């Protein structure tokens, strides 16, 4: 298994969009929070002691010269998927994984690795780190600890020894284990691996048992190749740049007609409007309308609303509209008289809500029998989006 | 036009365009459905929390606003109604809600949002589904709210949902049909331990009744949080 990783993907993307930031330290913080917390930072800011999870104020104190920006997760994820779609030209044995502002691709196609690295470098202007191992987790750790442009290979059978020195924070720990492992004096993967498997199972349950296996380098997760969803995009370039709203509206009308023609009887659930401005900046608006897009008039109305909501500060050089999440139109039972609303259950609509409002966290709660620890009374189960 | 010919015209319209195409005014003015709060004194004062409307409850910490809301949620769940809690401050205490207020957390959906605008979007989505009878928004951590509440009104009308918003006293939501203000009066003590509080509830706005009426409300904190968490050895 080969893991290709770009650390600080979000930071580098911000720098690509705004080249002025290339020399200044950069810190990305949560958007819309009263006390925003640090999500990502560049190497200069990291060297001054800035870490993820600290407040923006704390990071500013540690690194006063840093530029602090709000994260735009949707944009980084879209850029990540764009890169992934370009990599699919080389091989279809790719599994992308977007992890909190860093970009990871797994592949088992050893012949195409050099091509993939070149392609990533060409598109993102960043040299990725590579980790090679028999399974996913050791490869991921190897890539994470490698320097930019380096490749670390973990020999088969040496996974436990290789992983033993690295901290447990590299594991996908849940809240309970994050709190309890340091209390038990377990700080490295080697210390966790040294524990008896049955004891870990008894203490931390199935999840703990799986993490114990990971600490030993045993990762049974197979590579699940990425299948891109159907996407439609239409764009219009303006060489001189344009600010006239009437012309923009007419352009949107043309693009809407072309996109709806391209839908060919299907419906789209996601719309993205991208405005490439004359000063090289990019304005982006993503929406998931309540009703799926199936006609040009409806699409035009939404696009007009989106355009009006964007803070257009200079001339637009390129107008791009994307339709994602395209699906076959679902049949509807027509009723001439009564509007019989379909009976829905809350559990069945929750994944759809979670998908439509991805900024919000939807939880189902479960009462556990254990009353000794406050965090154990209620177990939160995150609703997986549809 | 006599009654029979009017009925004929109405029947024709119903057959041609459906039963919702034409309705008489008395069909629209249905009795106001309400949810009981679990506090008899409060229910007598306000007649329950109205559905299809927004109720604002304002209080300062320790005035018992969250406990009143948790009791309301528990009551709604006992009547087999669906409840969604949208928590802006990520401060929901499941142990207290379950052990002391009787909330059935297994049937509770918790939504944590990062900002108020997203909470409003989620609220509109939940109300539009017409599945949920009670939606509670906890905005206690928010200092000021600047939202376009008008988009909620069309979806709220005709839905079975009662929306309850908990805010600080300085926040005034003009869209609220009912606004209750809780002011802490005194603690209820038993053997030196605080087991509840007495708060004065004042109606500051009421679309369906009188205002400026107030009542003293005894809000017990269940059996006591600490005793439930750490049982005696």
């Amino acid at each position: 298994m080969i893991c290709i990783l770009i650390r600080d993907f979000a930071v580098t993307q911000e720098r690509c969009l705004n080249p002025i930031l290339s020399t200044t330290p950069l810190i990305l913080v949560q958007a819309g929070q009263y006390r925003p917390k640090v999500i990502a930072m560049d190497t200069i800011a990291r060297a001054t002691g800035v870490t993820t999870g600290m407040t923006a104020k704390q990071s500013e104190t540690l690194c006063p010269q840093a530029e602090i920006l709000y994260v735009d997760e949707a944009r980084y994820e879209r850029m990540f998927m764009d890169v992934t779609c370009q990599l699919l030209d080389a091989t279809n044995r790719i599994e992308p994984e977007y992890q909190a502002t860093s970009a990871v691709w797994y592949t088992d196609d050893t012949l195409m690795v050099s091509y993939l690295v070149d392609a990533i470098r060409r598109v993102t202007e960043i040299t990725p780190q590579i980790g090679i191992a028999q399974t996913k987790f050791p490869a991921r750790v190897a890539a994470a600890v490698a320097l930019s442009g380096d490749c670390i290979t973990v020999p088969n059978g040496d996974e436990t020894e290789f992983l033993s020195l690295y901290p447990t924070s590299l594991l996908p720990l849940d809240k309970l284990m994050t709190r309890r492992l340091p209390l038990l004096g377990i700080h490295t993967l080697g210390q966790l691996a040294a524990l008896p498997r049955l004891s870990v199972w008894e203490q931390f349950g199935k999840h703990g048992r799986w993490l114990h296996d990971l600490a030993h380098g045993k990762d049974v997760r197979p590579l699940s190749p990425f299948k891109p969803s159907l996407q439609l995009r239409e764009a219009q370039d303006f060489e001189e740049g344009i600010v006239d709203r009437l012309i923009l509206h007419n352009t949107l009308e043309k693009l809407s007609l072309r996109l709806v023609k391209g839908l060919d009887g299907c419906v789209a659930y996601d719309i993205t409007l991208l405005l490439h401005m004359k000063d090289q900046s990019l304005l982006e608006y993503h929406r998931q309308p309540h009703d799926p897009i199936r006609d040009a008039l409806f699409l035009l109305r939404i696009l007009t609303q989106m355009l009006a909501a964007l803070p257009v500060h200079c001339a637009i050089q390129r107008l791009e509209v994307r339709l994602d999440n395209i699906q076959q139109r679902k049949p509807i039972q027509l009723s001439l008289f009564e509007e019989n609303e379909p009976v829905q259950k809350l559990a069945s609509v929750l994944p759809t809500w979670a998908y439509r409002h991805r900024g919000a966290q939807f939880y189902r709660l479960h009462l556990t029998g254990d009353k000794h620890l406050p965090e154990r009374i209620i177990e939160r189960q995150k609703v997986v989006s549809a | 036009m006599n009654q029979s010919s009017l009925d004929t015209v109405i029947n024709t319209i119903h057959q041609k365009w459906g039963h919702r195409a034409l309705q008489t005014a008395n069909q629209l003015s249905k009795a106001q459905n309400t949810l009981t709060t679990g506090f008899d004194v409060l229910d007598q004062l306000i007649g329950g929390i109205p559905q299809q409307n927004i109720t604002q409850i304002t209080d300062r910490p320790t005035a018992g606003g969250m406990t009143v809301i948790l009791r309301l949620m528990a009551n709604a769940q006992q009547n087999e109604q669906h409840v969604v809690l949208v928590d802006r401050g990520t401060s929901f205490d499941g142990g207290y809600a379950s052990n002391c207020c009787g909330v059935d957390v297994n049937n509770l959906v918790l939504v944590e949002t990062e900002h108020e605008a997203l909470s409003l979007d989620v609220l509109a989505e939940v109300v539009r589904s017409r599945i949920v009878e009670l939606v509670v928004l906890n905005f206690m951590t928010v200092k000021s709210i600047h939202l376009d509440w008008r988009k909620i009104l069309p979806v709220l009308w005709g839905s079975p949902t009662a929306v309850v918003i908990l805010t600080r006293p300085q926040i005034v939501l003009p869209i609220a049909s009912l606004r209750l203000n809780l002011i802490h009066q005194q603690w209820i003590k038993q053997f030196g331990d605080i087991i509840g509080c007495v708060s004065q509830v004042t109606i500051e706005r009421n679309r369906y009744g009188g205002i400026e009426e107030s009542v003293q409300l005894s809000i017990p904190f269940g059996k006591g949080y600490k005793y439930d968490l750490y049982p005696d050895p």
Side-chain angles (χ1 to χ4, degrees), chain A residues 4 25 46 65 71 96-97 115 121 127-128 137 142 145 147 178 185 197 222 274 300 308 317 324 334 336 357 367 377:
Chain A
I4 304 170
R46 193 179 285 118
Q65 70 275 24
V71 291
E97 191 178 270
Y115 179 84
R121 196 185 292 133
T127 311
F137 181 68
V145 297
L147 294 172
T178 310
R197 191 167 185 262
L274 296 153
L300 177 64
Q317 273 200 323
D324 294 288
L334 294 173
L336 291 175
H357 305 281
L367 196 65
I377 293 174

PDB file of all heavy atoms in Angstrom, chain A residues 4 25 46 65 71 96-97 115 121 127-128 137 142 145 147 178 185 197 222 274 300 308 317 324 334 336 357 367 377:
ATOM      1  N   ILE A   4       0.160   8.674  -0.345  1.00  0.00           N
ATOM      2  CA  ILE A   4       0.715   9.958  -0.801  1.00  0.00           C
ATOM      3  C   ILE A   4       0.023  11.048   0.012  1.00  0.00           C
ATOM      4  O   ILE A   4      -1.210  11.095   0.034  1.00  0.00           O
ATOM      5  CB  ILE A   4       0.455  10.155  -2.309  1.00  0.00           C
ATOM      6  CG1 ILE A   4       1.034   8.978  -3.095  1.00  0.00           C
ATOM      7  CG2 ILE A   4       1.052  11.460  -2.791  1.00  0.00           C
ATOM      8  CD1 ILE A   4       0.624   8.943  -4.541  1.00  0.00           C
ATOM      9  N   PRO A  25       3.862  33.848   7.709  1.00  0.00           N
ATOM     10  CA  PRO A  25       3.284  32.687   8.398  1.00  0.00           C
ATOM     11  C   PRO A  25       1.756  32.739   8.323  1.00  0.00           C
ATOM     12  O   PRO A  25       1.170  33.831   8.382  1.00  0.00           O
ATOM     13  CB  PRO A  25       3.761  32.842   9.841  1.00  0.00           C
ATOM     14  CG  PRO A  25       4.847  33.836   9.807  1.00  0.00           C
ATOM     15  CD  PRO A  25       4.636  34.692   8.623  1.00  0.00           C
ATOM     16  N   ARG A  46       4.023  26.707  13.079  1.00  0.00           N
ATOM     17  CA  ARG A  46       4.142  25.513  13.926  1.00  0.00           C
ATOM     18  C   ARG A  46       5.428  25.568  14.753  1.00  0.00           C
ATOM     19  O   ARG A  46       5.451  25.159  15.920  1.00  0.00           O
ATOM     20  CB  ARG A  46       4.107  24.254  13.047  1.00  0.00           C
ATOM     21  CG  ARG A  46       3.902  22.975  13.851  1.00  0.00           C
ATOM     22  CD  ARG A  46       3.842  21.739  12.990  1.00  0.00           C
ATOM     23  NE  ARG A  46       2.586  21.632  12.287  1.00  0.00           N
ATOM     24  CZ  ARG A  46       2.452  21.639  10.968  1.00  0.00           C
ATOM     25  NH1 ARG A  46       3.508  21.745  10.192  1.00  0.00           N
ATOM     26  NH2 ARG A  46       1.271  21.537  10.398  1.00  0.00           N
ATOM     27  N   GLN A  65       3.354  37.786  13.936  1.00  0.00           N
ATOM     28  CA  GLN A  65       3.503  38.209  12.540  1.00  0.00           C
ATOM     29  C   GLN A  65       2.633  37.372  11.588  1.00  0.00           C
ATOM     30  O   GLN A  65       2.590  37.655  10.384  1.00  0.00           O
ATOM     31  CB  GLN A  65       4.980  38.164  12.105  1.00  0.00           C
ATOM     32  CG  GLN A  65       5.599  36.790  11.966  1.00  0.00           C
ATOM     33  CD  GLN A  65       6.123  36.247  13.290  1.00  0.00           C
ATOM     34  OE1 GLN A  65       5.674  36.650  14.355  1.00  0.00           O
ATOM     35  NE2 GLN A  65       7.051  35.320  13.234  1.00  0.00           N
ATOM     36  N   VAL A  71     -11.087  29.309   7.819  1.00  0.00           N
ATOM     37  CA  VAL A  71     -11.031  28.159   6.897  1.00  0.00           C
ATOM     38  C   VAL A  71     -12.294  28.110   6.038  1.00  0.00           C
ATOM     39  O   VAL A  71     -13.364  28.550   6.457  1.00  0.00           O
ATOM     40  CB  VAL A  71     -10.892  26.804   7.628  1.00  0.00           C
ATOM     41  CG1 VAL A  71      -9.560  26.653   8.263  1.00  0.00           C
ATOM     42  CG2 VAL A  71     -12.010  26.588   8.611  1.00  0.00           C
ATOM     43  N   PRO A  96      -9.109   8.413  -2.160  1.00  0.00           N
ATOM     44  CA  PRO A  96      -8.801   9.699  -1.530  1.00  0.00           C
ATOM     45  C   PRO A  96      -9.323   9.756  -0.099  1.00  0.00           C
ATOM     46  O   PRO A  96     -10.294   9.084   0.246  1.00  0.00           O
ATOM     47  CB  PRO A  96      -9.553  10.702  -2.407  1.00  0.00           C
ATOM     48  CG  PRO A  96     -10.674   9.928  -2.980  1.00  0.00           C
ATOM     49  CD  PRO A  96     -10.284   8.490  -3.031  1.00  0.00           C
ATOM     50  N   GLU A  97      -8.652  10.540   0.719  1.00  0.00           N
ATOM     51  CA  GLU A  97      -9.083  10.707   2.122  1.00  0.00           C
ATOM     52  C   GLU A  97      -8.750  12.125   2.532  1.00  0.00           C
ATOM     53  O   GLU A  97      -7.568  12.475   2.624  1.00  0.00           O
ATOM     54  CB  GLU A  97      -8.328   9.695   2.986  1.00  0.00           C
ATOM     55  CG  GLU A  97      -8.870   9.581   4.394  1.00  0.00           C
ATOM     56  CD  GLU A  97      -8.111   8.515   5.177  1.00  0.00           C
ATOM     57  OE1 GLU A  97      -8.524   7.354   5.137  1.00  0.00           O
ATOM     58  OE2 GLU A  97      -7.094   8.860   5.794  1.00  0.00           O
ATOM     59  N   TYR A 115       4.138   8.856 -11.624  1.00  0.00           N
ATOM     60  CA  TYR A 115       3.249   9.698 -12.439  1.00  0.00           C
ATOM     61  C   TYR A 115       2.274  10.470 -11.544  1.00  0.00           C
ATOM     62  O   TYR A 115       2.029  11.658 -11.751  1.00  0.00           O
ATOM     63  CB  TYR A 115       2.468   8.830 -13.436  1.00  0.00           C
ATOM     64  CG  TYR A 115       1.529   9.639 -14.284  1.00  0.00           C
ATOM     65  CD1 TYR A 115       1.969  10.288 -15.427  1.00  0.00           C
ATOM     66  CD2 TYR A 115       0.192   9.801 -13.908  1.00  0.00           C
ATOM     67  CE1 TYR A 115       1.113  11.063 -16.180  1.00  0.00           C
ATOM     68  CE2 TYR A 115      -0.681  10.577 -14.651  1.00  0.00           C
ATOM     69  CZ  TYR A 115      -0.215  11.204 -15.794  1.00  0.00           C
ATOM     70  OH  TYR A 115      -1.059  11.984 -16.530  1.00  0.00           O
ATOM     71  N   ARG A 121       2.146  17.317  -8.081  1.00  0.00           N
ATOM     72  CA  ARG A 121       3.069  18.454  -8.033  1.00  0.00           C
ATOM     73  C   ARG A 121       2.682  19.504  -9.081  1.00  0.00           C
ATOM     74  O   ARG A 121       2.734  20.700  -8.836  1.00  0.00           O
ATOM     75  CB  ARG A 121       4.491  17.971  -8.273  1.00  0.00           C
ATOM     76  CG  ARG A 121       5.551  18.991  -7.853  1.00  0.00           C
ATOM     77  CD  ARG A 121       6.935  18.522  -8.206  1.00  0.00           C
ATOM     78  NE  ARG A 121       7.351  17.384  -7.435  1.00  0.00           N
ATOM     79  CZ  ARG A 121       7.926  16.287  -7.946  1.00  0.00           C
ATOM     80  NH1 ARG A 121       8.110  16.180  -9.250  1.00  0.00           N
ATOM     81  NH2 ARG A 121       8.300  15.304  -7.176  1.00  0.00           N
ATOM     82  N   THR A 127       5.224  19.354  -3.392  1.00  0.00           N
ATOM     83  CA  THR A 127       5.792  18.007  -3.507  1.00  0.00           C
ATOM     84  C   THR A 127       5.249  17.165  -2.349  1.00  0.00           C
ATOM     85  O   THR A 127       5.473  17.519  -1.181  1.00  0.00           O
ATOM     86  CB  THR A 127       7.328  18.055  -3.438  1.00  0.00           C
ATOM     87  OG1 THR A 127       7.756  19.054  -4.344  1.00  0.00           O
ATOM     88  CG2 THR A 127       7.932  16.720  -3.810  1.00  0.00           C
ATOM     89  N   PRO A 128       4.545  16.105  -2.633  1.00  0.00           N
ATOM     90  CA  PRO A 128       3.949  15.329  -1.530  1.00  0.00           C
ATOM     91  C   PRO A 128       4.961  14.416  -0.841  1.00  0.00           C
ATOM     92  O   PRO A 128       6.050  14.175  -1.350  1.00  0.00           O
ATOM     93  CB  PRO A 128       2.872  14.512  -2.239  1.00  0.00           C
ATOM     94  CG  PRO A 128       3.344  14.376  -3.633  1.00  0.00           C
ATOM     95  CD  PRO A 128       4.172  15.571  -3.944  1.00  0.00           C
ATOM     96  N   PHE A 137      -2.349   1.726   7.547  1.00  0.00           N
ATOM     97  CA  PHE A 137      -1.956   2.569   8.676  1.00  0.00           C
ATOM     98  C   PHE A 137      -0.446   2.811   8.747  1.00  0.00           C
ATOM     99  O   PHE A 137      -0.014   3.965   8.872  1.00  0.00           O
ATOM    100  CB  PHE A 137      -2.494   1.995   9.994  1.00  0.00           C
ATOM    101  CG  PHE A 137      -2.156   2.825  11.185  1.00  0.00           C
ATOM    102  CD1 PHE A 137      -2.719   4.082  11.351  1.00  0.00           C
ATOM    103  CD2 PHE A 137      -1.239   2.385  12.125  1.00  0.00           C
ATOM    104  CE1 PHE A 137      -2.387   4.873  12.437  1.00  0.00           C
ATOM    105  CE2 PHE A 137      -0.898   3.168  13.207  1.00  0.00           C
ATOM    106  CZ  PHE A 137      -1.479   4.419  13.367  1.00  0.00           C
ATOM    107  N   ALA A 142       4.074   6.469   7.918  1.00  0.00           N
ATOM    108  CA  ALA A 142       5.346   6.689   7.215  1.00  0.00           C
ATOM    109  C   ALA A 142       5.282   7.970   6.388  1.00  0.00           C
ATOM    110  O   ALA A 142       6.234   8.764   6.383  1.00  0.00           O
ATOM    111  CB  ALA A 142       5.652   5.489   6.327  1.00  0.00           C
ATOM    112  N   VAL A 145       5.358  11.120   8.694  1.00  0.00           N
ATOM    113  CA  VAL A 145       6.631  11.478   9.337  1.00  0.00           C
ATOM    114  C   VAL A 145       7.732  11.780   8.316  1.00  0.00           C
ATOM    115  O   VAL A 145       8.804  12.262   8.686  1.00  0.00           O
ATOM    116  CB  VAL A 145       7.113  10.364  10.309  1.00  0.00           C
ATOM    117  CG1 VAL A 145       6.125  10.190  11.433  1.00  0.00           C
ATOM    118  CG2 VAL A 145       7.368   9.052   9.582  1.00  0.00           C
ATOM    119  N   LEU A 147       9.726  13.699   5.275  1.00  0.00           N
ATOM    120  CA  LEU A 147       9.884  15.116   4.923  1.00  0.00           C
ATOM    121  C   LEU A 147       9.272  15.335   3.543  1.00  0.00           C
ATOM    122  O   LEU A 147       9.022  14.381   2.808  1.00  0.00           O
ATOM    123  CB  LEU A 147      11.358  15.482   4.907  1.00  0.00           C
ATOM    124  CG  LEU A 147      12.079  15.421   6.259  1.00  0.00           C
ATOM    125  CD1 LEU A 147      13.558  15.613   6.062  1.00  0.00           C
ATOM    126  CD2 LEU A 147      11.518  16.459   7.213  1.00  0.00           C
ATOM    127  N   THR A 178      -8.741   9.296  24.060  1.00  0.00           N
ATOM    128  CA  THR A 178      -7.835  10.445  24.093  1.00  0.00           C
ATOM    129  C   THR A 178      -7.606  10.879  25.535  1.00  0.00           C
ATOM    130  O   THR A 178      -6.519  11.294  25.910  1.00  0.00           O
ATOM    131  CB  THR A 178      -8.446  11.618  23.300  1.00  0.00           C
ATOM    132  OG1 THR A 178      -8.864  11.132  22.037  1.00  0.00           O
ATOM    133  CG2 THR A 178      -7.461  12.747  23.105  1.00  0.00           C
ATOM    134  N   GLY A 185      -0.702   6.271  31.292  1.00  0.00           N
ATOM    135  CA  GLY A 185       0.734   6.339  31.004  1.00  0.00           C
ATOM    136  C   GLY A 185       1.091   5.812  29.631  1.00  0.00           C
ATOM    137  O   GLY A 185       2.243   5.462  29.384  1.00  0.00           O
ATOM    138  N   ARG A 197      -3.685  -8.017  24.221  1.00  0.00           N
ATOM    139  CA  ARG A 197      -4.827  -7.660  23.359  1.00  0.00           C
ATOM    140  C   ARG A 197      -6.148  -7.772  24.125  1.00  0.00           C
ATOM    141  O   ARG A 197      -7.040  -6.926  23.986  1.00  0.00           O
ATOM    142  CB  ARG A 197      -4.836  -8.595  22.147  1.00  0.00           C
ATOM    143  CG  ARG A 197      -5.786  -8.178  21.053  1.00  0.00           C
ATOM    144  CD  ARG A 197      -5.497  -8.969  19.799  1.00  0.00           C
ATOM    145  NE  ARG A 197      -6.319  -8.519  18.679  1.00  0.00           N
ATOM    146  CZ  ARG A 197      -7.434  -9.108  18.300  1.00  0.00           C
ATOM    147  NH1 ARG A 197      -7.880 -10.163  18.940  1.00  0.00           N
ATOM    148  NH2 ARG A 197      -8.119  -8.640  17.276  1.00  0.00           N
ATOM    149  N   PRO A 222      -9.289  -2.718   3.283  1.00  0.00           N
ATOM    150  CA  PRO A 222      -8.809  -2.833   1.902  1.00  0.00           C
ATOM    151  C   PRO A 222      -8.858  -1.475   1.207  1.00  0.00           C
ATOM    152  O   PRO A 222      -9.467  -0.522   1.709  1.00  0.00           O
ATOM    153  CB  PRO A 222      -9.808  -3.797   1.268  1.00  0.00           C
ATOM    154  CG  PRO A 222     -11.070  -3.546   2.013  1.00  0.00           C
ATOM    155  CD  PRO A 222     -10.696  -3.124   3.394  1.00  0.00           C
ATOM    156  N   LEU A 274     -18.926  29.699  -9.318  1.00  0.00           N
ATOM    157  CA  LEU A 274     -17.541  30.153  -9.136  1.00  0.00           C
ATOM    158  C   LEU A 274     -17.308  31.397  -9.982  1.00  0.00           C
ATOM    159  O   LEU A 274     -17.597  31.390 -11.183  1.00  0.00           O
ATOM    160  CB  LEU A 274     -16.558  29.068  -9.574  1.00  0.00           C
ATOM    161  CG  LEU A 274     -16.589  27.769  -8.769  1.00  0.00           C
ATOM    162  CD1 LEU A 274     -16.123  26.616  -9.604  1.00  0.00           C
ATOM    163  CD2 LEU A 274     -15.725  27.901  -7.551  1.00  0.00           C
ATOM    164  N   LEU A 300     -31.927  29.017 -12.854  1.00  0.00           N
ATOM    165  CA  LEU A 300     -31.572  30.423 -13.076  1.00  0.00           C
ATOM    166  C   LEU A 300     -31.916  31.273 -11.852  1.00  0.00           C
ATOM    167  O   LEU A 300     -31.153  32.152 -11.451  1.00  0.00           O
ATOM    168  CB  LEU A 300     -32.298  30.948 -14.319  1.00  0.00           C
ATOM    169  CG  LEU A 300     -32.074  32.418 -14.631  1.00  0.00           C
ATOM    170  CD1 LEU A 300     -30.617  32.683 -14.959  1.00  0.00           C
ATOM    171  CD2 LEU A 300     -32.952  32.865 -15.791  1.00  0.00           C
ATOM    172  N   ALA A 308     -26.205  37.392  -6.428  1.00  0.00           N
ATOM    173  CA  ALA A 308     -26.506  38.594  -5.642  1.00  0.00           C
ATOM    174  C   ALA A 308     -25.871  38.530  -4.261  1.00  0.00           C
ATOM    175  O   ALA A 308     -25.542  39.553  -3.667  1.00  0.00           O
ATOM    176  CB  ALA A 308     -28.015  38.760  -5.525  1.00  0.00           C
ATOM    177  N   GLN A 317     -13.814  37.660 -14.682  1.00  0.00           N
ATOM    178  CA  GLN A 317     -13.175  37.169 -15.900  1.00  0.00           C
ATOM    179  C   GLN A 317     -13.731  35.829 -16.351  1.00  0.00           C
ATOM    180  O   GLN A 317     -13.671  35.499 -17.531  1.00  0.00           O
ATOM    181  CB  GLN A 317     -11.675  37.033 -15.665  1.00  0.00           C
ATOM    182  CG  GLN A 317     -10.937  38.328 -15.939  1.00  0.00           C
ATOM    183  CD  GLN A 317      -9.469  38.116 -16.187  1.00  0.00           C
ATOM    184  OE1 GLN A 317      -8.872  37.267 -15.552  1.00  0.00           O
ATOM    185  NE2 GLN A 317      -8.898  38.895 -17.079  1.00  0.00           N
ATOM    186  N   ASP A 324     -23.585  19.124  -9.129  1.00  0.00           N
ATOM    187  CA  ASP A 324     -23.061  17.867  -8.581  1.00  0.00           C
ATOM    188  C   ASP A 324     -24.208  17.023  -8.047  1.00  0.00           C
ATOM    189  O   ASP A 324     -25.342  17.481  -7.972  1.00  0.00           O
ATOM    190  CB  ASP A 324     -22.100  18.165  -7.419  1.00  0.00           C
ATOM    191  CG  ASP A 324     -20.871  18.888  -7.889  1.00  0.00           C
ATOM    192  OD1 ASP A 324     -20.043  18.263  -8.531  1.00  0.00           O
ATOM    193  OD2 ASP A 324     -20.775  20.101  -7.626  1.00  0.00           O
ATOM    194  N   LEU A 334     -48.727  10.966  -8.899  1.00  0.00           N
ATOM    195  CA  LEU A 334     -49.556  12.157  -9.055  1.00  0.00           C
ATOM    196  C   LEU A 334     -50.910  11.957  -8.383  1.00  0.00           C
ATOM    197  O   LEU A 334     -51.479  10.872  -8.426  1.00  0.00           O
ATOM    198  CB  LEU A 334     -49.756  12.459 -10.540  1.00  0.00           C
ATOM    199  CG  LEU A 334     -48.492  12.854 -11.313  1.00  0.00           C
ATOM    200  CD1 LEU A 334     -48.814  12.955 -12.783  1.00  0.00           C
ATOM    201  CD2 LEU A 334     -47.943  14.164 -10.804  1.00  0.00           C
ATOM    202  N   LEU A 336     -54.668  13.856  -8.090  1.00  0.00           N
ATOM    203  CA  LEU A 336     -55.472  14.935  -8.654  1.00  0.00           C
ATOM    204  C   LEU A 336     -56.188  15.730  -7.569  1.00  0.00           C
ATOM    205  O   LEU A 336     -56.445  16.908  -7.709  1.00  0.00           O
ATOM    206  CB  LEU A 336     -56.498  14.377  -9.639  1.00  0.00           C
ATOM    207  CG  LEU A 336     -55.916  13.824 -10.930  1.00  0.00           C
ATOM    208  CD1 LEU A 336     -56.998  13.197 -11.757  1.00  0.00           C
ATOM    209  CD2 LEU A 336     -55.227  14.917 -11.726  1.00  0.00           C
ATOM    210  N   HIS A 357     -26.938  19.972   5.478  1.00  0.00           N
ATOM    211  CA  HIS A 357     -26.370  20.988   6.382  1.00  0.00           C
ATOM    212  C   HIS A 357     -25.080  20.422   6.962  1.00  0.00           C
ATOM    213  O   HIS A 357     -25.020  20.031   8.121  1.00  0.00           O
ATOM    214  CB  HIS A 357     -27.375  21.331   7.483  1.00  0.00           C
ATOM    215  CG  HIS A 357     -28.700  21.751   6.944  1.00  0.00           C
ATOM    216  ND1 HIS A 357     -28.938  23.004   6.444  1.00  0.00           N
ATOM    217  CD2 HIS A 357     -29.846  21.071   6.770  1.00  0.00           C
ATOM    218  CE1 HIS A 357     -30.173  23.079   6.007  1.00  0.00           C
ATOM    219  NE2 HIS A 357     -30.746  21.915   6.192  1.00  0.00           N
ATOM    220  N   LEU A 367     -28.391   6.298  25.952  1.00  0.00           N
ATOM    221  CA  LEU A 367     -28.127   6.261  27.385  1.00  0.00           C
ATOM    222  C   LEU A 367     -27.386   4.966  27.704  1.00  0.00           C
ATOM    223  O   LEU A 367     -27.863   3.879  27.386  1.00  0.00           O
ATOM    224  CB  LEU A 367     -29.456   6.311  28.133  1.00  0.00           C
ATOM    225  CG  LEU A 367     -29.412   6.647  29.603  1.00  0.00           C
ATOM    226  CD1 LEU A 367     -28.906   8.044  29.827  1.00  0.00           C
ATOM    227  CD2 LEU A 367     -30.800   6.497  30.198  1.00  0.00           C
ATOM    228  N   ILE A 377     -22.247   8.611  30.489  1.00  0.00           N
ATOM    229  CA  ILE A 377     -23.686   8.495  30.688  1.00  0.00           C
ATOM    230  C   ILE A 377     -24.393   8.507  29.344  1.00  0.00           C
ATOM    231  O   ILE A 377     -25.257   7.700  29.065  1.00  0.00           O
ATOM    232  CB  ILE A 377     -24.198   9.641  31.583  1.00  0.00           C
ATOM    233  CG1 ILE A 377     -23.642   9.471  32.977  1.00  0.00           C
ATOM    234  CG2 ILE A 377     -25.715   9.650  31.620  1.00  0.00           C
ATOM    235  CD1 ILE A 377     -23.964  10.597  33.892  1.00  0.00           C
TER     236      ILE A 377
END
